[in-house]
Amino acid sequence: MSFVEYGDTIKDGDTAIVFLGHESMFPVKVQHGSVTQTKYGVIRHSTDLIGKKYGSKVTCSKGGWVFILHPTPELWTMNLPHRTQILYSTDISIITMMLELKPGSIVCESGTGSGSLSHALIRTVAPTGHLYTVEFHQQRAEKAREEFREHGVEHLVTVTNQDVCKNGFGVSNIADAVFLDIPSPWEAIGHAKSALKAEGGRICSFSPCIEQVQRTCLAMEEYGFTEINTLEILLRVYNVRTVSLQIPDLGKAVEDNSSTGFDSSNLSHQGSLCANLQQGTVQFKSGVPLREVVGHTGYLTFATKS
């Protein structure tokens, strides 16, 4: 099993996603002899998971059932253990596009955090690219290395435990893109410039506060970056519902006795139909925004090395 290569069958040691519903799923480490408890009953790894195909419908001990899904960066973002605040798919999608990433790209990232963006970056640059990710916190760096190894992507990523603002990324003049998600990104702009390739490399900085954005933009300008641009991505979800509205009373239809072939009995019938409709309601499908909408997450500042 690998997060960047699809496998048909579930194997011992795989990370799989137990899907109970769109709002209810969780990851599980598949191990021979282990069991997983769900609200529908027990899942026995040896008999219910190992050897079965991903996407299979598995019946639990109480008679309920779940789906077992192959892990992807999107599913991992929704189910990973949170060691820090994470980036979600809305921001991740614009980051990978605006940094112009593709298979073979070299990317530097700081900080690693919970690895949400890291998994998406690894899949984007695979199979010939590489991610250099720097994490200040030692335990988080060690946990990230362990997860990358379990997810079969350790050959595509190098995890370094150091302060990027003081020591940089540990590479020079090779990166196609740099991503910063740290409290003071302006202190790391010089190191980012050193890590980027000679010309045309892209940089992105994620900051929740506009004051951070201002200082970062000034630092980018000072170090000669061009095309400096700040975006804010807001997600608005709609629910599709059936809405009932009363038909308005627009008055009686004007009779036109001059029409050729006019049938007074037919007009009487139509008038009766119209009267019945005007007293009733009509149902139709409508998109309704959620009452509570996830608002600001952070500002994304992009720039190009001149």
Side-chain angles (χ1 to χ4, degrees):
M1 184 277 303
S2 170
F3 271 54
V4 297
E5 297 175 0
Y6 184 80
D8 287 331
T9 58
I10 305 170
K11 299 181 179 63
D12 187 17
D14 281 4
T15 298
I17 305 296
V18 180
F19 180 89
L20 294 83
H22 288 290
E23 302 297 328
S24 180
M25 61 184 97
F26 59 89
V28 62
K29 177 73 176 292
V30 179
Q31 292 179 315
H32 186 78
S34 297
V35 297
T36 297
Q37 296 284 349
T38 75
K39 62 181 179 181
Y40 301 126
V42 173
I43 300 173
R44 295 175 175 82
H45 293 199
S46 300
T47 56
D48 297 333
L49 299 183
I50 297 175
K52 298 289 181 66
K53 286 192 173 184
Y54 278 107
S56 296
K57 185 177 178 180
V58 173
T59 302
C60 304
S61 61
K62 293 182 181 179
W65 49 267
V66 298
F67 287 107
I68 307 299
L69 305 181
H70 193 284
T72 65
E74 290 81 7
L75 289 174
W76 186 245
T77 290
M78 297 170 64
N79 296 282
L80 57 78
H82 284 230
R83 299 184 288 273
T84 59
Q85 288 279 41
I86 68 169
L87 289 175
Y88 289 93
S89 296
T90 308
D91 288 317
I92 291 172
S93 60
I94 197 72
I95 290 169
T96 54
M97 185 190 76
M98 294 293 288
L99 289 182
E100 303 174 2
L101 302 182
K102 60 186 182 301
S105 295
I106 305 297
V107 187
C108 293
E109 174 197 27
S110 183
T112 312
S114 300
S116 173
L117 176 64
S118 304
H119 283 81
L121 295 176
I122 290 169
R123 183 184 61 181
T124 303
V125 304
T128 56
H130 200 84
L131 171 66
Y132 294 90
T133 183
V134 177
E135 173 57 52
F136 175 78
H137 194 277
Q138 182 179 358
Q139 290 180 332
R140 288 201 292 263
E142 292 173 355
K143 185 61 180 176
R145 286 195 195 96
E146 179 185 339
E147 285 180 350
F148 294 142
R149 184 169 56 253
E150 290 178 353
H151 298 165
V153 296
E154 71 276 9
H155 61 292
L156 297 170
V157 57
T158 299
V159 182
T160 305
N161 172 220
Q162 64 187 28
D163 185 350
V164 70
C165 295
K166 294 180 180 179
N167 306 113
F169 293 94
V171 297
S172 299
N173 302 318
I174 64 169
D176 297 288
V178 169
F179 177 79
L180 298 174
D181 183 7
I182 54 178
S184 53
W186 56 90
E187 295 180 1
I189 299 299
H191 294 297
K193 184 177 181 179
S194 299
L196 286 168
K197 59 186 181 182
E199 188 176 353
R202 296 278 286 166
I203 183 174
C204 175
S205 174
F206 177 90
S207 297
C209 302
I210 196 64
E211 291 82 6
Q212 292 171 302
V213 174
Q214 290 172 327
R215 295 189 66 175
T216 303
C217 289
L218 289 172
M220 288 178 175
E221 196 173 39
E222 180 182 345
Y223 279 95
F225 283 88
T226 60
E227 299 177 347
I228 301 172
N229 186 28
T230 298
L231 307 175
E232 181 184 25
I233 311 300
L234 299 179
L235 177 66
R236 190 174 188 183
V237 179
Y238 283 79
N239 278 341
V240 178
R241 297 180 182 175
T242 300
V243 179
S244 297
L245 291 179
Q246 187 173 0
I247 298 175
D249 183 0
L250 301 178
K252 294 182 179 180
V254 177
E255 295 183 5
D256 186 1
N257 295 330
S258 63
S259 299
T260 306
F262 172 73
D263 184 351
S264 60
S265 63
N266 186 43
L267 179 62
S268 175
H269 174 69
Q270 290 177 353
S272 176
L273 253 169
C274 187
N276 290 335
L277 281 173
Q278 288 176 355
Q279 293 173 0
T281 60
V282 63
Q283 292 186 334
F284 61 93
K285 297 290 185 181
S286 176
V288 181
L290 301 180
R291 292 185 177 181
E292 294 183 2
V293 180
V294 177
H296 171 75
T297 56
Y299 299 102
L300 293 168
T301 300
F302 297 91
T304 303
K305 182 177 179 180
S306 177

